[in-house]
Amino acid sequence: MIVFEFKAKGKTTQYAAIDEAIKTAQFVRNKCIRFWMDNPGVGQKDLYRYNTALRAEYSFVKDLNSHATQVGVERAYSSIARFYNNCKKGIPGKKGYPKFQKNNRSVEYKTSGWKLSQTRKQITFTDKKGIGNLKLKGTWDLNFYQLEQIKRVRLVRRADGYYVQFLVSVDNKVEIPPTGKTIGLDVGLKEFYTDSNGNSEPNQRFYRTGEKRLKFKQRLVQRKKKGSINRNKAIHKLGRVHLKISRQRQEHAKRIARCVIQSHDLVAYEDLRIKNLVKNHCLAKSINDAGWYQFRKWLEYFGVKFGRITVAVNPAYTSQQCSNCGAIVKKSLSTRTHVCECGFVLDRDWNAAINILKLALSTVGHTGTWVIDPNASGDSTSTHAGEVLYEQAGSMIEESSPL
Ligand SMILES: [Zn+2]
């Protein structure tokens, strides 16, 4: 699936109609969750039936295209299924019991309820929500694709306006010649990463530099009276700063990931459980800073796209073990150099990166057989449904799994 994103241009009343449609999608989703809570054991089919009942009961639900309300059901069911899955897998701690959604930002149509103009520079929503005709601002040309290839159309609200996304099904694998090179990456707090050749990619601290601006805007919000127009304006501005920083981070992660993948046949990195790490507040910011999570997603995305192998290895001992003799050399986080009894001395992160590469190579076996071990890369290889990796407005977004 490729996602093409355009900025939507319309009248204020149309934007209000989009908000209304987004709210309805959330209503259906939450109603389904409630229905499931009250009737334990109901399946997806029951929820579809319940959706039909909702459409009969509430006219504002009926006004939304029927497939779009079905997506609301699907969203509810995927959170229910995730919860069941977590219970089955026996994951310790919270199982992610489905929650009611409060700030849904999108509504998704399938293949009905919308129509593209002849030039494909405009879209008209044909259900009764009254969204009507929106102009599509962006450089992408939808004429390149068959209408049948457009599987979904999403309306998304962001701090700086409304966007239309087209999910197009295409086989977008690209063949590039092998390089004969393999690489291990050790993600760090000091450097974005250090590789097994001893090179490092500096950290772009977008978040830190943006932080001052964020704090300033946050203070502006706090100073304004609750419920006032000025407060809403300040909140809006704060949202835009957030959005800008997250886009910068996303761009940076993507650019580096593409470059690393294109110049290596195999890329190894640690299977860091981001979730667990983020619980540690002092690490959290730096990890968010580095955009490591997005970076990993993009590595996996480009890995599939360019037919390269990406391997996530167990990070245990990668920084402690000597990459020369295999001995364990205990060191704290502040010890920056690896010094082993065997006489091997190396930068701590460099040593770790070599270990990561070695581990990966032992996982995939001989480096001539290009087989990816699906178990090696943990459970976060693919993008979760509904999650979007995005670029700047009006550019192409790509997702690694169909929705
Ligand atoms: Zn050693």
Side-chain angles (χ1 to χ4, degrees):
M1 275 299 172
I2 300 184
V3 182
F4 293 98
E5 184 174 281
F6 296 86
K7 189 139 192 192
K9 289 280 171 199
K11 293 191 185 116
T12 322
T13 50
Q14 292 179 283
Y15 296 145
I18 297 175
D19 283 337
E20 180 51 38
I22 290 174
K23 229 159 93 189
T24 305
Q26 175 176 290
F27 175 82
V28 172
R29 183 199 171 273
N30 286 346
K31 272 286 200 183
C32 286
I33 296 283
R34 180 81 254 171
F35 185 71
W36 168 77
M37 287 171 175
D38 296 341
N39 305 275
V42 297
Q44 194 165 12
K45 271 188 189 156
D46 303 301
L47 292 181
Y48 278 130
R49 238 172 269 135
Y50 181 60
N51 174 43
T52 312
L54 284 177
R55 292 179 66 79
E57 190 178 346
Y58 300 96
S59 65
F60 66 91
V61 177
K62 195 159 197 271
D63 287 344
L64 183 64
N65 174 272
S66 65
H67 288 119
T69 61
Q70 273 183 17
V71 174
V73 175
E74 285 157 21
R75 284 175 175 178
Y77 192 73
S78 79
S79 70
I80 292 167
R82 196 184 316 133
F83 168 66
Y84 280 145
N85 244 329
N86 286 345
C87 291
K88 221 195 282 169
K89 274 197 259 170
I91 289 174
K94 288 186 178 166
K95 306 285 186 294
Y97 190 79
K99 281 189 192 135
F100 294 113
Q101 200 178 22
K102 285 181 196 146
N103 54 353
N104 175 36
R105 288 159 182 263
S106 67
V107 58
E108 190 169 307
Y109 290 75
K110 292 187 183 177
T111 49
S112 65
W114 54 270
K115 215 179 152 222
L116 274 170
S117 68
Q118 204 122 55
T119 57
R120 304 202 177 172
K121 295 280 185 200
Q122 293 182 35
I123 186 169
T124 307
F125 288 87
T126 53
D127 60 2
K128 291 188 182 127
K129 279 294 179 191
I131 297 168
N133 184 269
L134 297 168
K135 287 197 185 79
L136 302 170
K137 293 282 173 195
T139 49
W140 297 101
D141 192 355
L142 287 174
N143 286 303
F144 189 64
Y145 300 95
Q146 303 294 316
L147 274 181
E148 297 81 53
Q149 283 177 279
I150 302 175
K151 301 296 182 198
R152 304 259 174 141
V153 175
R154 248 188 237 149
L155 282 162
V156 183
R157 179 177 57 221
R158 293 216 183 93
D160 62 351
Y162 294 83
Y163 293 81
V164 184
Q165 297 181 339
F166 294 88
L167 280 71
V168 178
S169 118
V170 280
D171 185 13
N172 65 336
K173 284 201 175 161
V174 178
E175 294 243 351
I176 52 172
T179 61
K181 286 192 279 186
T182 57
I183 196 167
L185 308 176
D186 177 64
V187 57
L189 301 179
K190 210 172 113 244
E191 312 284 352
F192 188 70
Y193 68 69
T194 302
D195 70 27
S196 47
N197 303 317
N199 301 319
S200 57
E201 176 69 32
N203 233 332
Q204 307 264 323
R205 298 195 174 266
F206 299 121
Y207 201 86
R208 293 251 162 98
T209 44
E211 199 179 52
K212 275 186 192 161
R213 281 185 64 209
L214 271 178
K215 275 203 175 138
F216 177 71
K217 300 280 179 197
Q218 248 155 7
R219 241 177 287 131
L220 283 185
V221 172
Q222 282 155 5
R223 260 187 234 150
K224 305 282 189 287
K225 224 169 83 191
K226 269 196 182 165
S228 69
I229 292 171
N230 282 334
R231 188 183 166 97
N232 283 343
K233 273 188 193 160
I235 289 173
H236 183 75
K237 280 187 186 151
L238 174 68
R240 288 181 70 125
V241 174
H242 258 297
L243 192 66
K244 186 168 176 225
I245 293 165
S246 92
R247 277 178 181 155
Q248 280 179 324
R249 219 164 33 190
Q250 197 64 262
E251 273 307 303
H252 175 248
K254 183 176 178 181
R255 186 169 48 81
I256 295 179
R258 187 196 280 120
C259 178
V260 171
I261 288 287
Q262 284 183 332
S263 44
H264 299 90
D265 296 341
L266 178 145
V267 180
Y269 43 86
E270 292 161 290
D271 186 6
L272 289 175
R273 297 271 158 162
I274 299 293
K275 252 204 241 166
N276 295 347
L277 279 174
V278 170
K279 273 182 197 154
N280 180 337
H281 287 288
C282 89
L283 280 181
K285 198 160 60 155
S286 299
I287 285 171
N288 288 339
D289 267 8
W292 172 241
Y293 181 66
Q294 280 117 323
F295 179 58
R296 175 181 172 168
K297 286 207 162 187
W298 284 114
L299 279 177
E300 285 161 356
Y301 170 76
F302 286 119
V304 171
K305 178 164 178 165
F306 294 112
R308 305 301 208 203
I309 298 178
T310 55
V311 188
V313 303
N314 186 341
Y317 306 118
T318 49
S319 59
Q320 311 292 333
Q321 204 165 29
C322 173
S323 61
N324 186 45
C325 72
I328 299 287
V329 184
K330 288 235 163 104
K331 38 180 111 59
S332 69
L333 261 176
S334 57
T335 315
R336 298 309 311 163
T337 311
H338 168 81
V339 183
C340 182
E341 282 182 345
C342 74
F344 192 69
V345 177
L346 205 65
D347 170 76
R348 171 208 179 93
D349 297 337
W350 186 356
N351 178 61
I354 295 173
N355 282 330
I356 289 164
L357 177 59
K358 277 188 176 173
L359 262 170
L361 293 177
S362 69
T363 314
V364 292
H366 303 289
T367 50
T369 56
W370 301 118
V371 184
I372 304 176
D373 177 4
N375 299 318
S377 49
D379 57 359
S380 57
T381 317
S382 61
T383 316
H384 295 297
E387 211 166 344
V388 181
L389 305 169
Y390 63 82
E391 287 181 77
Q392 295 292 327
S395 62
M396 187 177 76
I397 319 156
E398 302 166 295
E399 285 179 331
S400 54
S401 73
L403 289 171

mmCIF file of all heavy atoms in Angstrom, residues 321-327 329 338-344, ligand 1:
data_model
loop_
_atom_site.group_PDB
_atom_site.id
_atom_site.type_symbol
_atom_site.label_atom_id
_atom_site.label_comp_id
_atom_site.label_asym_id
_atom_site.label_seq_id
_atom_site.Cartn_x
_atom_site.Cartn_y
_atom_site.Cartn_z
ATOM 1 N N GLN A 321 29.604 -7.645 26.111
ATOM 2 C CA GLN A 321 30.488 -8.675 25.587
ATOM 3 C C GLN A 321 31.637 -8.091 24.770
ATOM 4 O O GLN A 321 31.485 -7.057 24.128
ATOM 5 C CB GLN A 321 29.668 -9.615 24.697
ATOM 6 C CG GLN A 321 30.277 -10.985 24.574
ATOM 7 C CD GLN A 321 29.284 -11.985 24.003
ATOM 8 O OE1 GLN A 321 28.388 -11.614 23.239
ATOM 9 N NE2 GLN A 321 29.424 -13.239 24.378
ATOM 10 N N CYS A 322 32.779 -8.791 24.828
ATOM 11 C CA CYS A 322 33.925 -8.361 24.024
ATOM 12 C C CYS A 322 33.746 -8.924 22.623
ATOM 13 O O CYS A 322 33.569 -10.126 22.443
ATOM 14 C CB CYS A 322 35.228 -8.876 24.636
ATOM 15 S SG CYS A 322 36.665 -8.565 23.593
ATOM 16 N N SER A 323 33.780 -8.064 21.607
ATOM 17 C CA SER A 323 33.538 -8.536 20.244
ATOM 18 C C SER A 323 34.764 -9.261 19.698
ATOM 19 O O SER A 323 34.709 -9.855 18.622
ATOM 20 C CB SER A 323 33.164 -7.356 19.341
ATOM 21 O OG SER A 323 34.219 -6.423 19.297
ATOM 22 N N ASN A 324 35.855 -9.215 20.435
ATOM 23 C CA ASN A 324 37.074 -9.885 19.991
ATOM 24 C C ASN A 324 37.169 -11.307 20.537
ATOM 25 O O ASN A 324 37.407 -12.252 19.794
ATOM 26 C CB ASN A 324 38.296 -9.069 20.415
ATOM 27 C CG ASN A 324 39.584 -9.646 19.856
ATOM 28 O OD1 ASN A 324 39.649 -9.999 18.680
ATOM 29 N ND2 ASN A 324 40.590 -9.778 20.704
ATOM 30 N N CYS A 325 36.963 -11.450 21.888
ATOM 31 C CA CYS A 325 37.148 -12.777 22.482
ATOM 32 C C CYS A 325 35.868 -13.357 23.081
ATOM 33 O O CYS A 325 35.835 -14.524 23.460
ATOM 34 C CB CYS A 325 38.252 -12.736 23.541
ATOM 35 S SG CYS A 325 37.735 -11.855 25.039
ATOM 36 N N GLY A 326 34.820 -12.555 23.194
ATOM 37 C CA GLY A 326 33.550 -13.081 23.700
ATOM 38 C C GLY A 326 33.387 -12.992 25.207
ATOM 39 O O GLY A 326 32.335 -13.324 25.735
ATOM 40 N N ALA A 327 34.414 -12.528 25.904
ATOM 41 C CA ALA A 327 34.319 -12.411 27.365
ATOM 42 C C ALA A 327 33.325 -11.311 27.732
ATOM 43 O O ALA A 327 33.110 -10.369 26.967
ATOM 44 C CB ALA A 327 35.687 -12.090 27.955
ATOM 45 N N VAL A 329 32.525 -8.147 29.731
ATOM 46 C CA VAL A 329 33.209 -7.061 30.438
ATOM 47 C C VAL A 329 32.133 -6.115 30.959
ATOM 48 O O VAL A 329 31.555 -5.333 30.205
ATOM 49 C CB VAL A 329 34.169 -6.300 29.497
ATOM 50 C CG1 VAL A 329 34.936 -5.244 30.263
ATOM 51 C CG2 VAL A 329 35.123 -7.259 28.812
ATOM 52 N N HIS A 338 35.343 0.253 25.841
ATOM 53 C CA HIS A 338 35.397 -1.164 26.160
ATOM 54 C C HIS A 338 36.869 -1.566 26.271
ATOM 55 O O HIS A 338 37.644 -1.409 25.325
ATOM 56 C CB HIS A 338 34.705 -1.942 25.034
ATOM 57 C CG HIS A 338 34.940 -3.414 25.088
ATOM 58 N ND1 HIS A 338 34.239 -4.260 25.910
ATOM 59 C CD2 HIS A 338 35.817 -4.204 24.408
ATOM 60 C CE1 HIS A 338 34.655 -5.496 25.746
ATOM 61 N NE2 HIS A 338 35.613 -5.491 24.838
ATOM 62 N N VAL A 339 37.255 -2.035 27.458
ATOM 63 C CA VAL A 339 38.641 -2.471 27.668
ATOM 64 C C VAL A 339 38.599 -3.911 28.152
ATOM 65 O O VAL A 339 38.083 -4.199 29.228
ATOM 66 C CB VAL A 339 39.370 -1.597 28.719
ATOM 67 C CG1 VAL A 339 40.823 -2.025 28.855
ATOM 68 C CG2 VAL A 339 39.266 -0.135 28.352
ATOM 69 N N CYS A 340 39.145 -4.830 27.356
ATOM 70 C CA CYS A 340 39.066 -6.259 27.709
ATOM 71 C C CYS A 340 40.436 -6.788 28.122
ATOM 72 O O CYS A 340 41.474 -6.265 27.701
ATOM 73 C CB CYS A 340 38.520 -7.040 26.524
ATOM 74 S SG CYS A 340 38.328 -8.798 26.876
ATOM 75 N N GLU A 341 40.386 -7.849 28.913
ATOM 76 C CA GLU A 341 41.629 -8.485 29.357
ATOM 77 C C GLU A 341 42.437 -9.042 28.187
ATOM 78 O O GLU A 341 43.644 -9.196 28.278
ATOM 79 C CB GLU A 341 41.305 -9.631 30.330
ATOM 80 C CG GLU A 341 40.968 -9.128 31.728
ATOM 81 C CD GLU A 341 40.704 -10.275 32.703
ATOM 82 O OE1 GLU A 341 40.507 -11.412 32.231
ATOM 83 O OE2 GLU A 341 40.703 -10.011 33.903
ATOM 84 N N CYS A 342 41.744 -9.361 27.112
ATOM 85 C CA CYS A 342 42.452 -9.915 25.949
ATOM 86 C C CYS A 342 43.267 -8.840 25.231
ATOM 87 O O CYS A 342 43.955 -9.123 24.253
ATOM 88 C CB CYS A 342 41.471 -10.579 24.981
ATOM 89 S SG CYS A 342 40.473 -9.412 24.028
ATOM 90 N N GLY A 343 43.160 -7.624 25.694
ATOM 91 C CA GLY A 343 43.935 -6.542 25.105
ATOM 92 C C GLY A 343 43.154 -5.719 24.091
ATOM 93 O O GLY A 343 43.674 -4.769 23.513
ATOM 94 N N PHE A 344 41.880 -6.080 23.920
ATOM 95 C CA PHE A 344 41.047 -5.398 22.932
ATOM 96 C C PHE A 344 40.425 -4.136 23.534
ATOM 97 O O PHE A 344 39.753 -4.203 24.556
ATOM 98 C CB PHE A 344 39.954 -6.365 22.465
ATOM 99 C CG PHE A 344 39.207 -5.910 21.248
ATOM 100 C CD1 PHE A 344 39.820 -5.854 20.006
ATOM 101 C CD2 PHE A 344 37.874 -5.537 21.338
ATOM 102 C CE1 PHE A 344 39.131 -5.450 18.875
ATOM 103 C CE2 PHE A 344 37.170 -5.124 20.211
ATOM 104 C CZ PHE A 344 37.795 -5.084 18.975
HETATM 105 ZN ZN ZN B 1 38.264 -9.654 24.849
#
